[in-house]
Amino acid sequence: MLAVAAFPLACEEGSRPTSVPGAGGTETSQLILALRDLGATAEVVDIVPAGSGILSAPATRVAVNGAVVFVYEFATVAEADAEAARVPDILAVTRWTSAPHFFRGNRLIVHYVGTDEAVISPLQRLLGPQFAGH
């Protein structure tokens, strides 16, 4: 699995933004920029406060190629690991409108519900295969 912090930069240092306004944290910004580097559209929609989503961390709701993706950024890798361990239980009791996909990268858990390969493919390319979902 690739760590978000290790994403290669497509532009020379100094010519590329290092953060995304409105993104929930540094790794979330890096993921959004890396998605854009792959040619995807990736724009912050809003922030979902901690405890309001299906995971405990606040989430940045990001439109990726027109689809909604939730990027949960945890304070530590250990917190992300603990929350990732809860995802199978969440999958067992939650009804979805389409196929759920969960990806991991360092302090991030990324959640997408849908089947659009234009969303799944760049997430897989950056974060590796999903760790849970269909």
Side-chain angles (χ1 to χ4, degrees):
M1 194 172 346
L2 297 176
V4 175
F7 291 156
L9 301 178
C11 304
E12 291 181 4
E13 194 170 324
S15 66
R16 178 182 193 266
T18 57
S19 67
V20 176
T26 304
E27 289 189 21
T28 301
S29 283
Q30 291 173 345
L31 176 63
I32 292 168
L33 293 170
L35 286 164
R36 291 174 182 173
D37 287 347
L38 291 178
T41 60
E43 301 297 330
V44 173
V45 175
D46 64 3
I47 300 293
V48 178
S52 298
I54 61 169
L55 301 177
S56 64
T60 302
R61 190 180 347 225
V62 180
V64 177
N65 290 331
V68 174
V69 173
F70 292 89
V71 181
Y72 294 87
E73 184 167 335
F74 295 85
T76 67
V77 172
E79 288 178 28
D81 288 341
E83 201 75 5
R86 291 186 48 244
V87 169
D89 293 334
I90 293 168
L91 286 169
V93 298
T94 305
R95 293 179 62 132
W96 308 95
T97 57
S98 188
H101 305 274
F102 289 86
F103 301 90
R104 270 295 306 280
N106 202 21
R107 295 184 300 122
L108 298 181
I109 295 177
V110 177
H111 176 222
Y112 165 62
V113 176
T115 57
D116 189 344
E117 281 301 316
V119 177
I120 296 168
S121 180
L123 291 173
Q124 284 178 330
R125 189 162 169 203
L126 295 171
L127 300 168
Q130 67 184 27
F131 74 90
H134 303 276

